[in-house]
Amino acid sequence: MHFFRRYATTTSTNIIERLKARGMLSQVTSKNLARVTEERKITLYAGVDPSAVSLHVGNLAVLMTMLHFHLDGHTVIPLIGGATGQVGDPGGRSTERELLETETVQNNASSITNQVENFFKTATEHARIKDRSIGTSQPKILNNLSWHSQLSFLSFLRFPGKLLRVNVLLTRDSVQSRLGSNQGISFAEFTYQLLQAYDFWYLNRNHGVELQIGGSDQWGNIISGVELIRKANAVEGKSLNEPVEIKNGIADEVVDDVAYGLTIPLLTTSTGEKFGKSAGNAIWLDQRLTSTFDFYQFFIRVSDADAPMYLRCLTLLSVEEIDNLMREHMASPEKRLAQHALATEVTQMIHGDAALQVAQLASTVLYDTSSSLETALTSNPDSVGNLLEALRDNPRLKRVSSNQAIGQYMTKVASSLGLVASHAKARTLLQGGGLYLNNHRITELDRKLNKSDFIGDKVAFLRAGKEMLVVELLPSENSGD
């Protein structure tokens, strides 16, 4: 089911106003940005450091912001921090980042580059399902190691080091928070904002980039980049020791905006909890780290308070569609319409339609006790295999051999697989009408598990109340069945 009919955000034609209406705008360096993006298409970038092998849900807010610009016809450059990832951003941390091995950073950078490429491919196709007028061109991904590796330390001190003032750099929140901690801040992490500022200047000079976007915790780093570009332009053709002309009482700056910065709110829960590996609650975009089923279920479980924000920030549903959906949701909150729309849209956009269908199948099988399991799993010859793959690391999946399970009393099977604490409790549960096989109540104490109970000769479902186990039948260890 598609909850979204056509790519649209609001009735406004201006990308900045549309982002603001979606709650995806925190700060901008200049009010002129709205006018500029109204008049012409620009080139912008956002960076991500390869501090892990995969991106996570917390990174989606920035990716989605880039996607909105991309779909609006602007040129987007995702920047992988192959160089800055070897230093580490001090922002949002009270302690020094662990210094990763160079090989680890390079491997992470390669993995994340593939993820970003895949995101824009699947997300653009997701948008085109609803609006075929959207083009199929993909952003060009760059890695800042390609230019930082050519920059000597002495050259770095001369530029950008000569133009950026330490007293200003010390006022950044990322630095201030660390200066007040017991651990302090290393020179390496202190210079991170200079490295990021150099990125902005380099991209501005060589790729025509006018705008950097990032999470709200990147504001200080972005400001440093804007200032570097302004000062570099102001001293163009002059010695770095010559004074910069003062205009309108502002030293070291030019009157016209030559670069812009835009930040978006960090993705958090309604209680202010952040998402990410540092927070210990990362939901990874890599299916090897977070299965599509668990990814889908994460969004199914979000609270009613969080659903509207996530719908605005993480889907391409229009604001009007989201408002209508929330009104329908609040009329019958027990149906969790908003969460189902959110999980459907995000899973399809990140992992594709086939993966979405598998996640929905697994959710139906595990949580919809009124469903016909036989119908759900026999309508498609691949359904059983897809279900088992979706649940491969799920603790509900139990694997048993034929000689361990076939012919055993259901009460013994339930207790041996850990569905109930003991054989005696399983008997009591069955007598009370609380033990189910394939969503059918078991009524006979001497009921045994038969091979015909396994759907597709492969899988059966044993349930006690709301707790369900998925039992995969393996060949007999002795007979080779």
Side-chain angles (χ1 to χ4, degrees):
M1 177 180 181
H2 295 306
F3 295 88
F4 163 111
R5 291 169 295 284
R6 185 180 184 277
Y7 170 67
T9 47
T10 70
T11 54
S12 173
T13 59
N14 183 266
I15 181 67
I16 303 302
E17 292 302 319
R18 296 205 306 268
L19 290 174
K20 184 177 181 180
R22 300 183 77 90
M24 297 175 70
L25 186 62
S26 180
Q27 291 177 287
V28 292
T29 56
S30 172
K31 62 182 180 181
N32 292 333
L33 181 59
R35 174 182 56 79
V36 170
T37 54
E38 181 75 28
E39 294 174 349
R40 58 184 173 83
K41 302 304 180 184
I42 65 171
T43 302
L44 63 137
Y45 93 99
V48 56
D49 279 347
S51 55
V53 73
S54 172
L55 299 175
H56 52 77
V57 167
N59 299 120
L60 279 181
V62 171
L63 289 176
M64 287 300 297
T65 306
M66 284 196 287
L67 179 65
H68 281 289
F69 275 99
H70 175 64
L71 296 177
D72 199 51
H74 300 274
T75 300
V76 172
I77 298 178
L79 180 67
I80 309 301
T84 45
Q86 297 185 43
V87 175
D89 184 359
R93 295 179 61 92
S94 59
T95 58
E96 189 90 1
R97 287 184 182 272
E98 180 182 353
L99 197 63
L100 299 177
E101 295 292 336
T102 301
E103 183 179 358
T104 300
V105 175
Q106 292 173 347
N107 291 337
N108 291 350
S110 177
S111 175
I112 289 175
T113 298
N114 291 334
Q115 279 192 334
V116 173
E117 287 178 347
N118 187 66
F119 167 79
F120 278 99
K121 180 181 178 180
T122 59
T124 301
E125 184 56 35
H126 177 72
R128 293 188 75 245
I129 291 173
K130 288 84 177 180
D131 185 355
R132 301 306 295 183
S133 67
I134 293 172
T136 58
S137 63
Q138 297 299 304
K140 180 180 181 181
I141 301 174
L142 299 178
N143 188 320
N144 62 14
L145 184 62
S146 64
W147 53 84
H148 281 295
S149 62
Q150 307 300 316
L151 184 64
S152 71
F153 183 64
L154 183 60
S155 298
F156 178 74
L157 291 178
R158 289 177 59 82
F159 183 87
K162 192 71 173 178
L163 290 185
L164 296 177
R165 297 291 179 257
V166 171
N167 59 314
V168 176
L169 299 178
L170 287 171
T171 65
R172 307 301 189 209
D173 289 342
S174 60
V175 176
Q176 283 291 308
S177 61
R178 291 287 292 279
L179 289 176
S181 69
N182 293 330
Q183 193 175 73
I185 186 170
S186 68
F187 175 75
E189 287 199 350
F190 175 73
T191 60
Y192 183 92
Q193 58 183 307
L194 279 78
L195 295 173
Q196 187 167 321
Y198 187 87
D199 285 341
F200 198 175
W201 172 84
Y202 181 92
L203 292 170
N204 176 266
R205 182 62 59 92
N206 294 281
H207 295 275
V209 171
E210 298 176 69
L211 170 65
Q212 181 184 359
I213 65 175
S216 57
D217 59 345
Q218 292 296 307
W219 179 249
N221 295 336
I222 292 174
I223 288 294
S224 294
V226 172
E227 290 178 349
L228 178 61
I229 293 171
R230 287 175 175 173
K231 291 183 178 183
N233 286 355
V235 300
E236 192 75 27
K238 299 181 181 180
S239 165
L240 291 179
N241 292 319
E242 291 184 46
V244 176
E245 182 180 359
I246 296 179
K247 300 180 180 181
N248 294 340
I250 303 176
D252 290 345
E253 291 192 7
V254 293
V255 173
D256 295 330
D257 292 313
V258 293
Y260 303 89
L262 179 153
T263 60
I264 58 179
L266 296 177
L267 192 64
T268 65
T269 67
S270 56
T271 59
E273 184 181 8
K274 292 173 60 178
F275 294 108
K277 53 189 179 299
S278 298
N281 60 350
I283 302 297
W284 303 101
L285 304 193
D286 189 332
Q287 296 181 60
R288 294 169 298 181
L289 301 178
T290 298
S291 71
T292 306
F293 168 74
D294 289 329
F295 185 88
Y296 179 85
Q297 280 295 316
F298 167 77
F299 291 105
I300 288 290
R301 297 190 188 105
V302 304
S303 68
D304 288 350
D306 290 327
M309 178 185 66
Y310 292 172
L311 284 164
R312 284 179 166 84
C313 293
L314 302 181
T315 78
L316 294 178
L317 292 171
S318 71
V319 172
E320 291 80 5
E321 286 176 306
I322 293 170
D323 289 343
N324 291 336
L325 174 63
M326 290 309 303
R327 280 192 289 269
E328 187 177 358
H329 171 88
M330 295 310 295
S332 303
E334 71 281 358
K335 296 180 180 179
R336 302 184 71 76
L337 297 177
Q339 286 86 349
H340 281 283
L342 174 66
T344 296
E345 289 291 318
V346 180
T347 304
Q348 185 182 56
M349 181 166 56
I350 300 301
H351 295 301
D353 191 61
L356 167 65
Q357 292 182 30
V358 171
Q360 290 176 327
L361 171 65
S363 298
T364 297
V365 166
L366 289 180
Y367 299 115
D368 185 359
T369 57
S370 65
S371 67
S372 169
L373 296 174
E374 291 86 351
T375 300
L377 291 172
T378 57
S379 58
N380 185 318
D382 297 325
S383 291
V384 171
N386 289 338
L387 172 67
L388 294 174
E389 174 61 23
L391 299 177
R392 65 185 184 278
D393 297 320
N394 194 292
R396 295 182 182 86
L397 179 61
K398 304 295 182 180
R399 297 178 173 89
V400 297
S401 62
S402 297
N403 56 351
Q404 288 177 319
I406 302 302
Q408 299 293 327
Y409 289 111
M410 291 304 309
T411 50
K412 182 178 179 180
V413 174
S415 59
S416 64
L417 294 179
L419 183 63
V420 290
S422 67
H423 188 200
K425 289 187 177 181
R427 289 173 61 89
T428 301
L429 183 67
L430 187 154
Q431 291 173 321
L435 189 62
Y436 294 78
L437 176 63
N438 297 336
N439 278 349
H440 300 295
R441 181 180 285 115
I442 302 173
T443 58
E444 302 169 350
L445 269 176
D446 60 352
R447 173 70 157 87
K448 295 181 179 180
L449 184 62
N450 303 310
K451 189 168 185 178
S452 60
D453 292 322
F454 287 85
I455 301 172
D457 294 329
K458 193 67 176 176
V459 65
F461 302 86
L462 192 57
R463 178 164 62 87
K466 293 183 178 180
E467 294 296 320
M468 179 181 282
L469 294 180
V470 180
V471 185
E472 179 184 2
L473 185 64
L474 302 177
S476 173
E477 297 176 356
N478 298 323
S479 65
D481 290 345

